[in-house]
Amino acid sequence: MARNVLESSLMGAGFSIIFQILCRILTFGINAYIVRNVGREVLGIMNVRLLLLESTLLFLSREAINRAALSANSQQREKCSWAQLINQMWLTVPICAALCAPCLYIWLYWLSAVDAPYSAQYEFACYAVALSCVLELIAESTVFVAQVFCFVKLKIVLNTLHILVRSAIFLWIVTGDRSAAITAFAIAQLASAMTIVLGQYGFFMFYINRFNDFKLRQQQARKNKAAQALSSWQRSLFEHMDDFPFTKLTQLLPGVLSCTGGEALFNRELQTLTLSFVKQGVLKQILTEGEKYVMSVSPVLSFGEQATYDVVNNLGSMAARFIFRPIEDSAYFYFTQTIARDTRLNKQPPERVRQASSVLNNLLLGVSSIGLLAFTFGQSYSHTLLLLYGGEDFVAGGLPQRLLQWHCLAIYLLSVNGISEGYMFATNTSRDIDKYNYLMAIFSISFLILSYILTGIFGPVGFIFANCINMLGRILYSTRYIRHQYQPLGLNPLQGLWPGKLFGGTLLLAGLACYWYRDAVFGTHMGIGLGTGILCLIAWALAHRDLMLLGWKYGRRIKIE
């Protein structure tokens, strides 16, 4: 397999960032429309309660299986066949179906009830969201194959189509009847899930047929001792795909691709690794969505206040969704393909280890710099952003502004934690993962307790305080693991956490200037922010010329290909 994993990871991160920005702009526009025209309570039901149900079902059903399968495919190819991997991925469907029953019972009968005008719509939406999750996981085996064989553009196109279909159907129904917003949300979820399934299987039906024709023409060309001319689209789809194991679409279904040598349907080592990730995944889900679980279980906030917190949290998390998450996904994939879990670094190929250290250093430098920019400018421009988004009524009282200002600190911690913890998960052994699960349990319990206590003291801002304390503890643990792993080799990828004197000093001066002019007229206020922001970017580029040149080099190569 000659596919360049690093270039594929970089290209995947780049395309993900661009397309997610465009699609999230549409999502934020819809949320703004709901806040201004439908009501915050409806937004709270959809964006907190119903999306939490979707997140819970999908994460618990596929996260552990997907991560374990990626690791097994990269590091245990001789022990785990493609038939076993496909069978493993199809376990997500019955797992999700089994989880639907207890989750629906909790969402419908245990959590705080919605108001009577929305109860019927809410019940229908819960069932629709659960069904959409099961439907989406029917395509999980194709999603996994696309990820392994670096079909980056397919993932981006289908994710974009998924969001566009969901948004278009929702707006079409709501503009006709604003009182049916929750029902519109449910129908849109089902339609978008079907889009993913049809898109994935439609692509692989096309690809497998064309690839079979391509291999047949290659065989004929070799018999005739003639070179086969390839068009640009054929090179992009079929080059370096000699290890592609599928010859018909049905082989992506469970039990169809035959196991060789009397293999079992499922791989025992893969199951063990999956169980380790299951324990970790449950805890990580609590940490990721903990504040929503607290809001849903106890009546700390009304649905309207939950919507306010959710809007601010989404605005504050734009960097995480647009930039950090695609980078983390691509980085995790890269590290799983580069560093072996069960072998010490000094016994692995030195060139791979040095490259992984350099990539980790540059990733930490890039995301931490973005986090520092968000923290610096967020203190002075939170009110302006929220005013433009929700209007005067939304920012009245000052709570949204305080939430977003403190959230900017969480953005910095989130940026560092995502990369450092992702590297640790990608290179840990099963035993190390099990050990960390106990620590994650402590983090999860302490986070829930801190959320409840700090919310009672500071209000909704307490959720952010608890999240910051939790992430700081996880960062300390993962960076300690990285330092101990690379120290014997004389490498220190954690140097990327230090942005440099030039960039740090420019950030400090920019923050003071923006804060000084925070009450100026709108034009002056925005002009100061734009000017100082450009100066900060120039300072960063001057301080890290080598990284700029490296990015330019890979950017040109991706553009050419």
Side-chain angles (χ1 to χ4, degrees), residues 10 22 34 51 159 174 203 235 262 273 281 354 431 561:
L10 290 171
L22 295 176
I34 296 172
L51 286 184
N159 284 348
V174 169
F203 170 79
R235 281 196 299 270
L273 184 59
R354 283 194 294 270
R431 180 178 296 180
E561 292 179 356

Side-chain angles (χ1 to χ4, degrees), residues 170-277:
F170 176 80
L171 287 175
W172 175 59
I173 297 175
V174 169
T175 51
D177 183 4
R178 293 182 183 179
S179 64
I182 299 175
T183 301
F185 174 87
I187 295 173
Q189 286 290 115
L190 288 170
S192 60
M194 287 302 302
T195 301
I196 292 291
V197 175
L198 295 176
Q200 287 285 350
Y201 282 101
F203 170 79
F204 276 101
M205 183 173 65
F206 160 82
Y207 181 83
I208 291 173
N209 289 335
R210 292 298 179 93
F211 188 51
N212 289 337
D213 294 340
F214 170 77
K215 288 190 294 184
L216 183 61
R217 287 197 300 270
Q218 270 195 327
Q219 292 173 358
Q220 293 173 348
R222 279 196 292 266
K223 287 181 180 178
N224 299 329
K225 297 182 180 180
Q228 182 182 1
L230 297 179
S231 63
S232 58
W233 74 269
Q234 285 178 322
R235 281 196 299 270
S236 64
L237 283 176
F238 303 136
E239 270 193 333
H240 310 309
M241 297 294 287
D242 296 333
D243 56 340
F244 188 76
F246 306 101
T247 57
K248 52 186 179 180
L249 184 65
T250 54
Q251 290 176 335
L252 292 167
L253 300 177
V256 176
L257 193 63
S258 58
C259 296
T260 59
E263 290 177 326
L265 289 175
F266 299 98
N267 184 280
R268 181 173 297 180
E269 293 184 16
L270 180 57
Q271 300 286 52
T272 302
L273 184 59
T274 301
L275 288 176
S276 297
F277 279 117

Side-chain angles (χ1 to χ4, degrees), residues 376-377 501-517 528 532-533 535-536:
T376 300
F377 289 94
K501 294 180 180 179
L502 177 61
F503 180 61
T506 307
L507 272 179
L508 179 61
L509 293 176
L512 292 173
C514 292
Y515 187 78
W516 183 265
Y517 287 97
I528 293 293
T532 53
L535 286 176
C536 288

Side-chain angles (χ1 to χ4, degrees), residues 376-441:
T376 300
F377 289 94
Q379 305 311 305
S380 302
Y381 289 90
S382 295
H383 181 271
T384 305
L385 177 62
L386 292 167
L387 180 65
L388 293 173
Y389 183 83
E392 289 283 356
D393 291 339
F394 183 70
V395 298
L399 174 61
Q401 179 182 345
R402 290 196 302 276
L403 283 169
L404 190 53
Q405 285 174 331
W406 281 108
H407 208 292
C408 291
L409 173 61
I411 289 173
Y412 170 73
L413 296 174
L414 185 68
S415 67
V416 176
N417 180 69
I419 296 298
S420 61
E421 196 173 65
Y423 173 84
M424 184 178 68
F425 291 157
T427 59
N428 265 347
T429 63
S430 296
R431 180 178 296 180
D432 291 331
I433 293 172
D434 284 335
K435 289 180 180 178
Y436 188 62
N437 287 338
Y438 293 107
L439 190 60
M440 285 281 280

Side-chain angles (χ1 to χ4, degrees), residues 276-314:
S276 297
F277 279 117
V278 165
K279 302 170 191 174
Q280 186 186 96
V282 173
L283 299 173
K284 187 176 179 181
Q285 177 67 6
I286 293 174
L287 292 172
T288 304
E289 304 283 10
E291 68 273 9
K292 291 186 179 180
Y293 287 120
V294 171
M295 285 189 288
S296 298
V297 171
S298 61
V300 177
L301 303 173
S302 67
F303 279 114
E305 291 171 323
Q306 289 179 29
T308 301
Y309 175 83
D310 184 68
V311 167
V312 174
N313 186 54
N314 284 336

Side-chain angles (χ1 to χ4, degrees), residues 306-339:
Q306 289 179 29
T308 301
Y309 175 83
D310 184 68
V311 167
V312 174
N313 186 54
N314 284 336
L315 287 170
S317 300
M318 281 194 296
R321 293 180 177 182
F322 295 163
I323 302 174
F324 299 149
R325 184 59 187 269
I327 293 175
E328 290 167 17
D329 289 344
S330 297
Y332 180 85
F333 175 70
Y334 166 74
F335 289 128
T336 58
Q337 309 299 302
T338 306
I339 301 296

Side-chain angles (χ1 to χ4, degrees), residues 338-350 353 423 427 429 432 481 484-486 488-489:
T338 306
I339 301 296
R341 289 182 183 273
D342 299 320
T343 308
R344 291 187 177 183
L345 291 186
N346 57 9
K347 295 182 180 180
Q348 298 190 40
V353 173
Y423 173 84
T427 59
T429 63
D432 291 331
Y481 166 83
H484 286 179
Q485 195 178 36
Y486 281 97
L489 303 177

